[in-house]
Structures are given as structure tokens and as C-alpha cells.
Amino acid sequence: MAKSCSGFTPSPSPLLAARLKHLEREGLAHKITLPAPARTPAYALTEAGEELGPAILELARWGLKWAMGERRVSETFHPGWAVLGLRACFDTEAAAGLHAVYEFCCWPGRSRLRWRGSRTQP
């Protein structure tokens, strides 16, 4: 989650920390420790958080159709958000039987879109 937040640093901003705590209180995310070699604290979606995925993708589809205009200089963009747009446009029927991993590398981060069987995975 934090990778998709613009300006993320190892010490999260007070706003990011507050939002993550709110998601945790609402049962949408929980704290984890990443495996070696990182072994750093992180957050992961709970089952309830994962179930929000289709609704978020529908909102992204709506935004792509109705709310996208020219980007303003003051607006922030993170490459990970582009993957959300790709997932929103993904046609599961057309990809039936496809097994592929697409990786988008944008410094300083990396985003992946995986297709496994019947669904996309971040």
C-alpha cells in the first residue's frame, strides 16, 4: 500500500500513518513484517480489504471514462497508480488461459501486474 503513496519514505508521514491506522481500525489492513532480507514493518490487506478490490477497480473504470482530463502541474502521480488503471481495463474473458507477468519499472519503484488463471494480482 505504502509504495503507491507519493513521497513515501521509510518513516511514513503523519498523514500516511494516520490513514494506515484508520484502515487497521476498520479491519481493512493489518501490520506484518516483511520476510528477509527486508524484515521491516509493513501493512497488508485483510480479507475485507481484498474484497474491496472490485469496487475500487469499478471506481477506477468510472474515473478513466468520466473524470480523466489533462493533468495539472499541481497534481501528483505515482507509477503504481498506472497499474490500477491497467487492472481496471483488463478483460478477463480475452485473457482466458493466459499466464503472464508484466513488470513496469519506474525509478525509484517497480510495479507488477500478474495474470494467474482467472484474476489479476498486483
Side-chain angles (χ1 to χ4, degrees), residues 30-75:
H30 62 97
K31 288 182 182 179
I32 62 168
T33 300
L34 296 176
R39 296 183 198 244
T40 59
Y43 283 84
L45 293 175
T46 63
E47 183 179 351
E50 288 284 345
E51 285 187 15
L52 277 174
I56 299 298
L57 290 176
E58 284 302 317
L59 286 171
R61 287 183 187 104
W62 179 89
L64 288 168
K65 181 176 181 179
W66 298 104
M68 291 295 291
E70 291 296 317
R71 182 173 167 254
R72 296 182 204 115
V73 174
S74 62
E75 292 178 324

mmCIF file of all heavy atoms in Angstrom, residues 30-75:
data_model
loop_
_atom_site.group_PDB
_atom_site.id
_atom_site.type_symbol
_atom_site.label_atom_id
_atom_site.label_comp_id
_atom_site.label_asym_id
_atom_site.label_seq_id
_atom_site.Cartn_x
_atom_site.Cartn_y
_atom_site.Cartn_z
ATOM 1 N N HIS A 30 -3.718 -4.883 8.100
ATOM 2 C CA HIS A 30 -3.094 -5.319 9.345
ATOM 3 C C HIS A 30 -1.582 -5.230 9.195
ATOM 4 O O HIS A 30 -1.045 -5.259 8.080
ATOM 5 C CB HIS A 30 -3.526 -6.738 9.737
ATOM 6 C CG HIS A 30 -3.136 -7.775 8.724
ATOM 7 N ND1 HIS A 30 -2.004 -8.536 8.847
ATOM 8 C CD2 HIS A 30 -3.726 -8.173 7.568
ATOM 9 C CE1 HIS A 30 -1.918 -9.361 7.815
ATOM 10 N NE2 HIS A 30 -2.947 -9.159 7.017
ATOM 11 N N LYS A 31 -0.907 -5.095 10.329
ATOM 12 C CA LYS A 31 0.548 -4.981 10.313
ATOM 13 C C LYS A 31 1.179 -6.343 10.056
ATOM 14 O O LYS A 31 0.694 -7.362 10.542
ATOM 15 C CB LYS A 31 1.059 -4.452 11.653
ATOM 16 C CG LYS A 31 0.743 -2.999 11.871
ATOM 17 C CD LYS A 31 1.315 -2.522 13.193
ATOM 18 C CE LYS A 31 0.943 -1.084 13.427
ATOM 19 N NZ LYS A 31 1.443 -0.581 14.707
ATOM 20 N N ILE A 32 2.265 -6.318 9.279
ATOM 21 C CA ILE A 32 3.051 -7.518 9.020
ATOM 22 C C ILE A 32 4.524 -7.149 9.108
ATOM 23 O O ILE A 32 4.868 -5.977 9.166
ATOM 24 C CB ILE A 32 2.748 -8.118 7.626
ATOM 25 C CG1 ILE A 32 3.130 -7.118 6.515
ATOM 26 C CG2 ILE A 32 1.302 -8.556 7.514
ATOM 27 C CD1 ILE A 32 3.141 -7.714 5.126
ATOM 28 N N THR A 33 5.374 -8.142 9.116
ATOM 29 C CA THR A 33 6.811 -7.928 8.978
ATOM 30 C C THR A 33 7.232 -8.600 7.684
ATOM 31 O O THR A 33 6.946 -9.777 7.462
ATOM 32 C CB THR A 33 7.580 -8.533 10.168
ATOM 33 O OG1 THR A 33 7.114 -7.895 11.366
ATOM 34 C CG2 THR A 33 9.079 -8.302 10.025
ATOM 35 N N LEU A 34 7.896 -7.826 6.823
ATOM 36 C CA LEU A 34 8.332 -8.378 5.542
ATOM 37 C C LEU A 34 9.380 -9.455 5.766
ATOM 38 O O LEU A 34 10.147 -9.394 6.719
ATOM 39 C CB LEU A 34 8.896 -7.263 4.665
ATOM 40 C CG LEU A 34 7.899 -6.184 4.246
ATOM 41 C CD1 LEU A 34 8.610 -5.087 3.455
ATOM 42 C CD2 LEU A 34 6.769 -6.774 3.428
ATOM 43 N N PRO A 35 9.437 -10.443 4.865
ATOM 44 C CA PRO A 35 10.444 -11.501 5.007
ATOM 45 C C PRO A 35 11.852 -10.969 4.732
ATOM 46 O O PRO A 35 12.028 -9.866 4.212
ATOM 47 C CB PRO A 35 10.024 -12.524 3.949
ATOM 48 C CG PRO A 35 9.206 -11.761 2.967
ATOM 49 C CD PRO A 35 8.563 -10.643 3.728
ATOM 50 N N ALA A 36 12.841 -11.770 5.079
ATOM 51 C CA ALA A 36 14.239 -11.413 4.834
ATOM 52 C C ALA A 36 14.440 -11.184 3.345
ATOM 53 O O ALA A 36 13.784 -11.832 2.539
ATOM 54 C CB ALA A 36 15.156 -12.517 5.345
ATOM 55 N N PRO A 37 15.274 -10.291 2.937
ATOM 56 C CA PRO A 37 16.225 -9.553 3.752
ATOM 57 C C PRO A 37 15.656 -8.271 4.348
ATOM 58 O O PRO A 37 16.294 -7.648 5.195
ATOM 59 C CB PRO A 37 17.345 -9.229 2.771
ATOM 60 C CG PRO A 37 16.646 -9.067 1.471
ATOM 61 C CD PRO A 37 15.507 -10.059 1.511
ATOM 62 N N ALA A 38 14.454 -7.837 3.945
ATOM 63 C CA ALA A 38 13.923 -6.556 4.428
ATOM 64 C C ALA A 38 13.609 -6.574 5.923
ATOM 65 O O ALA A 38 14.084 -5.734 6.679
ATOM 66 C CB ALA A 38 12.680 -6.173 3.636
ATOM 67 N N ARG A 39 12.784 -7.532 6.340
ATOM 68 C CA ARG A 39 12.368 -7.663 7.744
ATOM 69 C C ARG A 39 11.924 -6.345 8.365
ATOM 70 O O ARG A 39 12.229 -6.051 9.513
ATOM 71 C CB ARG A 39 13.485 -8.274 8.580
ATOM 72 C CG ARG A 39 13.806 -9.679 8.168
ATOM 73 C CD ARG A 39 14.866 -10.271 9.070
ATOM 74 N NE ARG A 39 15.455 -11.411 8.413
ATOM 75 C CZ ARG A 39 15.354 -12.643 8.874
ATOM 76 N NH1 ARG A 39 14.732 -12.892 9.982
ATOM 77 N NH2 ARG A 39 15.899 -13.639 8.207
ATOM 78 N N THR A 40 11.207 -5.560 7.600
ATOM 79 C CA THR A 40 10.714 -4.279 8.098
ATOM 80 C C THR A 40 9.208 -4.347 8.275
ATOM 81 O O THR A 40 8.524 -5.136 7.624
ATOM 82 C CB THR A 40 11.059 -3.136 7.123
ATOM 83 O OG1 THR A 40 10.477 -3.427 5.850
ATOM 84 C CG2 THR A 40 12.550 -2.948 6.978
ATOM 85 N N PRO A 41 8.671 -3.517 9.155
ATOM 86 C CA PRO A 41 7.218 -3.486 9.335
ATOM 87 C C PRO A 41 6.541 -2.971 8.062
ATOM 88 O O PRO A 41 7.080 -2.121 7.355
ATOM 89 C CB PRO A 41 7.004 -2.506 10.487
ATOM 90 C CG PRO A 41 8.337 -2.323 11.115
ATOM 91 C CD PRO A 41 9.362 -2.632 10.082
ATOM 92 N N ALA A 42 5.374 -3.497 7.792
ATOM 93 C CA ALA A 42 4.592 -3.086 6.628
ATOM 94 C C ALA A 42 3.121 -3.348 6.938
ATOM 95 O O ALA A 42 2.781 -3.817 8.027
ATOM 96 C CB ALA A 42 5.040 -3.857 5.388
ATOM 97 N N TYR A 43 2.271 -3.037 5.997
ATOM 98 C CA TYR A 43 0.848 -3.322 6.119
ATOM 99 C C TYR A 43 0.423 -4.194 4.951
ATOM 100 O O TYR A 43 0.953 -4.083 3.852
ATOM 101 C CB TYR A 43 0.021 -2.031 6.104
ATOM 102 C CG TYR A 43 0.044 -1.279 7.407
ATOM 103 C CD1 TYR A 43 1.072 -0.404 7.715
ATOM 104 C CD2 TYR A 43 -0.968 -1.451 8.341
ATOM 105 C CE1 TYR A 43 1.106 0.283 8.912
ATOM 106 C CE2 TYR A 43 -0.955 -0.763 9.541
ATOM 107 C CZ TYR A 43 0.079 0.100 9.820
ATOM 108 O OH TYR A 43 0.104 0.778 11.005
ATOM 109 N N ALA A 44 -0.562 -5.043 5.187
ATOM 110 C CA ALA A 44 -1.155 -5.878 4.154
ATOM 111 C C ALA A 44 -2.666 -5.778 4.285
ATOM 112 O O ALA A 44 -3.184 -5.494 5.368
ATOM 113 C CB ALA A 44 -0.707 -7.327 4.302
ATOM 114 N N LEU A 45 -3.355 -6.025 3.192
ATOM 115 C CA LEU A 45 -4.816 -6.005 3.238
ATOM 116 C C LEU A 45 -5.346 -7.248 3.931
ATOM 117 O O LEU A 45 -4.796 -8.337 3.776
ATOM 118 C CB LEU A 45 -5.381 -5.944 1.820
ATOM 119 C CG LEU A 45 -5.098 -4.653 1.049
ATOM 120 C CD1 LEU A 45 -5.607 -4.793 -0.384
ATOM 121 C CD2 LEU A 45 -5.741 -3.460 1.735
ATOM 122 N N THR A 46 -6.409 -7.071 4.674
ATOM 123 C CA THR A 46 -7.125 -8.204 5.265
ATOM 124 C C THR A 46 -8.061 -8.768 4.197
ATOM 125 O O THR A 46 -8.151 -8.239 3.081
ATOM 126 C CB THR A 46 -7.959 -7.743 6.467
ATOM 127 O OG1 THR A 46 -8.941 -6.807 5.985
ATOM 128 C CG2 THR A 46 -7.112 -7.110 7.550
ATOM 129 N N GLU A 47 -8.768 -9.822 4.545
ATOM 130 C CA GLU A 47 -9.741 -10.386 3.614
ATOM 131 C C GLU A 47 -10.776 -9.327 3.230
ATOM 132 O O GLU A 47 -11.135 -9.191 2.055
ATOM 133 C CB GLU A 47 -10.431 -11.602 4.242
ATOM 134 C CG GLU A 47 -11.412 -12.281 3.317
ATOM 135 C CD GLU A 47 -12.080 -13.498 3.947
ATOM 136 O OE1 GLU A 47 -11.674 -13.919 5.044
ATOM 137 O OE2 GLU A 47 -13.006 -14.022 3.308
ATOM 138 N N ALA A 48 -11.230 -8.550 4.212
ATOM 139 C CA ALA A 48 -12.201 -7.481 3.924
ATOM 140 C C ALA A 48 -11.599 -6.435 2.993
ATOM 141 O O ALA A 48 -12.267 -5.944 2.076
ATOM 142 C CB ALA A 48 -12.671 -6.830 5.226
ATOM 143 N N GLY A 49 -10.340 -6.087 3.210
ATOM 144 C CA GLY A 49 -9.663 -5.132 2.344
ATOM 145 C C GLY A 49 -9.524 -5.653 0.923
ATOM 146 O O GLY A 49 -9.728 -4.924 -0.047
ATOM 147 N N GLU A 50 -9.182 -6.932 0.804
ATOM 148 C CA GLU A 50 -9.063 -7.559 -0.520
ATOM 149 C C GLU A 50 -10.401 -7.541 -1.252
ATOM 150 O O GLU A 50 -10.450 -7.339 -2.462
ATOM 151 C CB GLU A 50 -8.572 -9.004 -0.397
ATOM 152 C CG GLU A 50 -7.123 -9.137 -0.009
ATOM 153 C CD GLU A 50 -6.160 -8.850 -1.149
ATOM 154 O OE1 GLU A 50 -6.585 -8.817 -2.323
ATOM 155 O OE2 GLU A 50 -4.979 -8.653 -0.851
ATOM 156 N N GLU A 51 -11.493 -7.745 -0.503
ATOM 157 C CA GLU A 51 -12.815 -7.772 -1.135
ATOM 158 C C GLU A 51 -13.230 -6.409 -1.673
ATOM 159 O O GLU A 51 -14.145 -6.324 -2.483
ATOM 160 C CB GLU A 51 -13.864 -8.306 -0.163
ATOM 161 C CG GLU A 51 -13.760 -9.802 0.025
ATOM 162 C CD GLU A 51 -14.895 -10.371 0.864
ATOM 163 O OE1 GLU A 51 -15.918 -9.683 1.068
ATOM 164 O OE2 GLU A 51 -14.749 -11.514 1.308
ATOM 165 N N LEU A 52 -12.574 -5.345 -1.223
ATOM 166 C CA LEU A 52 -12.856 -4.018 -1.776
ATOM 167 C C LEU A 52 -12.269 -3.844 -3.174
ATOM 168 O O LEU A 52 -12.638 -2.913 -3.890
ATOM 169 C CB LEU A 52 -12.281 -2.924 -0.863
ATOM 170 C CG LEU A 52 -13.135 -2.533 0.321
ATOM 171 C CD1 LEU A 52 -12.375 -1.548 1.207
ATOM 172 C CD2 LEU A 52 -14.445 -1.930 -0.125
ATOM 173 N N GLY A 53 -11.347 -4.723 -3.569
ATOM 174 C CA GLY A 53 -10.679 -4.607 -4.858
ATOM 175 C C GLY A 53 -11.613 -4.378 -6.031
ATOM 176 O O GLY A 53 -11.421 -3.428 -6.801
ATOM 177 N N PRO A 54 -12.645 -5.211 -6.215
ATOM 178 C CA PRO A 54 -13.551 -5.000 -7.347
ATOM 179 C C PRO A 54 -14.243 -3.634 -7.318
ATOM 180 O O PRO A 54 -14.400 -3.000 -8.365
ATOM 181 C CB PRO A 54 -14.571 -6.140 -7.219
ATOM 182 C CG PRO A 54 -13.821 -7.213 -6.481
ATOM 183 C CD PRO A 54 -12.934 -6.467 -5.510
ATOM 184 N N ALA A 55 -14.626 -3.161 -6.145
ATOM 185 C CA ALA A 55 -15.269 -1.844 -6.056
ATOM 186 C C ALA A 55 -14.295 -0.734 -6.428
ATOM 187 O O ALA A 55 -14.650 0.212 -7.141
ATOM 188 C CB ALA A 55 -15.815 -1.617 -4.640
ATOM 189 N N ILE A 56 -13.044 -0.846 -5.968
ATOM 190 C CA ILE A 56 -12.028 0.142 -6.299
ATOM 191 C C ILE A 56 -11.764 0.146 -7.804
ATOM 192 O O ILE A 56 -11.634 1.206 -8.430
ATOM 193 C CB ILE A 56 -10.716 -0.129 -5.524
ATOM 194 C CG1 ILE A 56 -10.947 -0.049 -4.017
ATOM 195 C CG2 ILE A 56 -9.599 0.796 -5.971
ATOM 196 C CD1 ILE A 56 -11.407 1.294 -3.515
ATOM 197 N N LEU A 57 -11.709 -1.050 -8.406
ATOM 198 C CA LEU A 57 -11.500 -1.134 -9.853
ATOM 199 C C LEU A 57 -12.665 -0.516 -10.628
ATOM 200 O O LEU A 57 -12.461 0.136 -11.653
ATOM 201 C CB LEU A 57 -11.258 -2.574 -10.282
ATOM 202 C CG LEU A 57 -9.922 -3.160 -9.839
ATOM 203 C CD1 LEU A 57 -9.825 -4.628 -10.239
ATOM 204 C CD2 LEU A 57 -8.761 -2.373 -10.409
ATOM 205 N N GLU A 58 -13.886 -0.703 -10.139
ATOM 206 C CA GLU A 58 -15.039 -0.078 -10.803
ATOM 207 C C GLU A 58 -14.949 1.442 -10.711
ATOM 208 O O GLU A 58 -15.269 2.151 -11.673
ATOM 209 C CB GLU A 58 -16.359 -0.581 -10.206
ATOM 210 C CG GLU A 58 -16.728 -1.975 -10.654
ATOM 211 C CD GLU A 58 -16.845 -2.105 -12.161
ATOM 212 O OE1 GLU A 58 -17.422 -1.226 -12.839
ATOM 213 O OE2 GLU A 58 -16.338 -3.108 -12.700
ATOM 214 N N LEU A 59 -14.518 1.961 -9.564
ATOM 215 C CA LEU A 59 -14.328 3.407 -9.438
ATOM 216 C C LEU A 59 -13.234 3.890 -10.393
ATOM 217 O O LEU A 59 -13.349 4.962 -10.997
ATOM 218 C CB LEU A 59 -13.969 3.789 -7.997
ATOM 219 C CG LEU A 59 -15.115 3.732 -7.002
ATOM 220 C CD1 LEU A 59 -14.588 3.905 -5.579
ATOM 221 C CD2 LEU A 59 -16.147 4.803 -7.322
ATOM 222 N N ALA A 60 -12.170 3.106 -10.533
ATOM 223 C CA ALA A 60 -11.095 3.469 -11.463
ATOM 224 C C ALA A 60 -11.626 3.478 -12.896
ATOM 225 O O ALA A 60 -11.301 4.386 -13.675
ATOM 226 C CB ALA A 60 -9.927 2.497 -11.331
ATOM 227 N N ARG A 61 -12.448 2.494 -13.254
ATOM 228 C CA ARG A 61 -13.031 2.464 -14.607
ATOM 229 C C ARG A 61 -13.888 3.705 -14.847
ATOM 230 O O ARG A 61 -13.839 4.323 -15.907
ATOM 231 C CB ARG A 61 -13.863 1.198 -14.797
ATOM 232 C CG ARG A 61 -13.042 -0.041 -14.944
ATOM 233 C CD ARG A 61 -13.914 -1.285 -15.207
ATOM 234 N NE ARG A 61 -13.078 -2.450 -15.178
ATOM 235 C CZ ARG A 61 -13.034 -3.319 -14.163
ATOM 236 N NH1 ARG A 61 -13.829 -3.185 -13.125
ATOM 237 N NH2 ARG A 61 -12.213 -4.352 -14.207
ATOM 238 N N TRP A 62 -14.684 4.059 -13.852
ATOM 239 C CA TRP A 62 -15.513 5.254 -13.958
ATOM 240 C C TRP A 62 -14.625 6.485 -14.144
ATOM 241 O O TRP A 62 -14.891 7.331 -15.007
ATOM 242 C CB TRP A 62 -16.376 5.410 -12.701
ATOM 243 C CG TRP A 62 -17.237 6.637 -12.752
ATOM 244 C CD1 TRP A 62 -18.487 6.738 -13.268
ATOM 245 C CD2 TRP A 62 -16.885 7.941 -12.279
ATOM 246 N NE1 TRP A 62 -18.932 8.029 -13.147
ATOM 247 C CE2 TRP A 62 -17.966 8.780 -12.541
ATOM 248 C CE3 TRP A 62 -15.756 8.472 -11.657
ATOM 249 C CZ2 TRP A 62 -17.976 10.131 -12.206
ATOM 250 C CZ3 TRP A 62 -15.742 9.817 -11.327
ATOM 251 C CH2 TRP A 62 -16.847 10.633 -11.603
ATOM 252 N N GLY A 63 -13.580 6.587 -13.353
ATOM 253 C CA GLY A 63 -12.676 7.725 -13.448
ATOM 254 C C GLY A 63 -11.999 7.816 -14.801
ATOM 255 O O GLY A 63 -11.835 8.906 -15.357
ATOM 256 N N LEU A 64 -11.590 6.667 -15.352
ATOM 257 C CA LEU A 64 -10.966 6.662 -16.663
ATOM 258 C C LEU A 64 -11.931 7.158 -17.740
ATOM 259 O O LEU A 64 -11.534 7.815 -18.697
ATOM 260 C CB LEU A 64 -10.471 5.257 -17.022
ATOM 261 C CG LEU A 64 -9.242 4.778 -16.261
ATOM 262 C CD1 LEU A 64 -9.039 3.286 -16.480
ATOM 263 C CD2 LEU A 64 -8.006 5.553 -16.709
ATOM 264 N N LYS A 65 -13.206 6.838 -17.569
ATOM 265 C CA LYS A 65 -14.203 7.224 -18.568
ATOM 266 C C LYS A 65 -14.673 8.667 -18.389
ATOM 267 O O LYS A 65 -14.808 9.405 -19.360
ATOM 268 C CB LYS A 65 -15.408 6.276 -18.484
ATOM 269 C CG LYS A 65 -16.485 6.570 -19.498
ATOM 270 C CD LYS A 65 -17.592 5.544 -19.419
ATOM 271 C CE LYS A 65 -18.666 5.840 -20.463
ATOM 272 N NZ LYS A 65 -19.734 4.842 -20.415
ATOM 273 N N TRP A 66 -14.929 9.089 -17.143
ATOM 274 C CA TRP A 66 -15.608 10.351 -16.913
ATOM 275 C C TRP A 66 -14.769 11.453 -16.263
ATOM 276 O O TRP A 66 -15.102 12.623 -16.399
ATOM 277 C CB TRP A 66 -16.844 10.120 -16.041
ATOM 278 C CG TRP A 66 -17.842 9.235 -16.695
ATOM 279 C CD1 TRP A 66 -18.081 7.924 -16.413
ATOM 280 C CD2 TRP A 66 -18.717 9.580 -17.772
ATOM 281 N NE1 TRP A 66 -19.054 7.427 -17.234
ATOM 282 C CE2 TRP A 66 -19.468 8.430 -18.076
ATOM 283 C CE3 TRP A 66 -18.945 10.751 -18.492
ATOM 284 C CZ2 TRP A 66 -20.419 8.419 -19.073
ATOM 285 C CZ3 TRP A 66 -19.897 10.737 -19.488
ATOM 286 C CH2 TRP A 66 -20.634 9.580 -19.778
ATOM 287 N N ALA A 67 -13.746 11.103 -15.539
ATOM 288 C CA ALA A 67 -13.055 12.126 -14.752
ATOM 289 C C ALA A 67 -11.641 12.449 -15.225
ATOM 290 O O ALA A 67 -11.002 13.316 -14.658
ATOM 291 C CB ALA A 67 -13.019 11.700 -13.284
ATOM 292 N N MET A 68 -11.170 11.750 -16.248
ATOM 293 C CA MET A 68 -9.803 11.992 -16.692
ATOM 294 C C MET A 68 -9.765 13.195 -17.621
ATOM 295 O O MET A 68 -10.463 13.255 -18.603
ATOM 296 C CB MET A 68 -9.234 10.768 -17.417
ATOM 297 C CG MET A 68 -8.999 9.585 -16.515
ATOM 298 S SD MET A 68 -7.750 9.863 -15.262
ATOM 299 C CE MET A 68 -6.301 9.937 -16.262
ATOM 300 N N GLY A 69 -8.947 14.120 -17.273
ATOM 301 C CA GLY A 69 -8.706 15.276 -18.120
ATOM 302 C C GLY A 69 -7.209 15.482 -18.212
ATOM 303 O O GLY A 69 -6.425 14.585 -17.915
ATOM 304 N N GLU A 70 -6.820 16.646 -18.611
ATOM 305 C CA GLU A 70 -5.403 16.962 -18.651
ATOM 306 C C GLU A 70 -4.867 17.079 -17.233
ATOM 307 O O GLU A 70 -5.501 17.672 -16.365
ATOM 308 C CB GLU A 70 -5.167 18.271 -19.409
ATOM 309 C CG GLU A 70 -5.456 18.173 -20.894
ATOM 310 C CD GLU A 70 -4.509 17.206 -21.596
ATOM 311 O OE1 GLU A 70 -3.296 17.233 -21.299
ATOM 312 O OE2 GLU A 70 -4.990 16.423 -22.439
ATOM 313 N N ARG A 71 -3.693 16.523 -17.012
ATOM 314 C CA ARG A 71 -3.058 16.582 -15.693
ATOM 315 C C ARG A 71 -2.586 18.004 -15.425
ATOM 316 O O ARG A 71 -1.962 18.630 -16.268
ATOM 317 C CB ARG A 71 -1.877 15.615 -15.648
ATOM 318 C CG ARG A 71 -1.194 15.577 -14.313
ATOM 319 C CD ARG A 71 -0.137 14.472 -14.288
ATOM 320 N NE ARG A 71 0.694 14.666 -13.141
ATOM 321 C CZ ARG A 71 1.942 15.125 -13.183
ATOM 322 N NH1 ARG A 71 2.505 15.398 -14.335
ATOM 323 N NH2 ARG A 71 2.632 15.290 -12.086
ATOM 324 N N ARG A 72 -2.892 18.494 -14.229
ATOM 325 C CA ARG A 72 -2.435 19.820 -13.814
ATOM 326 C C ARG A 72 -1.051 19.704 -13.198
ATOM 327 O O ARG A 72 -0.703 18.677 -12.626
ATOM 328 C CB ARG A 72 -3.413 20.412 -12.801
ATOM 329 C CG ARG A 72 -4.778 20.651 -13.388
ATOM 330 C CD ARG A 72 -5.705 21.285 -12.344
ATOM 331 N NE ARG A 72 -7.060 20.982 -12.709
ATOM 332 C CZ ARG A 72 -7.875 20.221 -11.994
ATOM 333 N NH1 ARG A 72 -7.494 19.713 -10.861
ATOM 334 N NH2 ARG A 72 -9.090 19.975 -12.415
ATOM 335 N N VAL A 73 -0.267 20.757 -13.283
ATOM 336 C CA VAL A 73 1.090 20.769 -12.731
ATOM 337 C C VAL A 73 1.073 20.454 -11.237
ATOM 338 O O VAL A 73 1.946 19.771 -10.721
ATOM 339 C CB VAL A 73 1.768 22.137 -12.991
ATOM 340 C CG1 VAL A 73 3.118 22.211 -12.304
ATOM 341 C CG2 VAL A 73 1.908 22.377 -14.478
ATOM 342 N N SER A 74 0.053 20.901 -10.534
ATOM 343 C CA SER A 74 -0.019 20.705 -9.083
ATOM 344 C C SER A 74 -0.438 19.293 -8.679
ATOM 345 O O SER A 74 -0.360 18.930 -7.516
ATOM 346 C CB SER A 74 -1.002 21.711 -8.475
ATOM 347 O OG SER A 74 -2.305 21.487 -9.000
ATOM 348 N N GLU A 75 -0.867 18.467 -9.626
ATOM 349 C CA GLU A 75 -1.324 17.126 -9.300
ATOM 350 C C GLU A 75 -0.154 16.153 -9.189
ATOM 351 O O GLU A 75 0.799 16.223 -9.949
ATOM 352 C CB GLU A 75 -2.313 16.631 -10.357
ATOM 353 C CG GLU A 75 -3.610 17.392 -10.331
ATOM 354 C CD GLU A 75 -4.572 16.936 -11.408
ATOM 355 O OE1 GLU A 75 -4.126 16.593 -12.518
ATOM 356 O OE2 GLU A 75 -5.774 16.936 -11.132
#
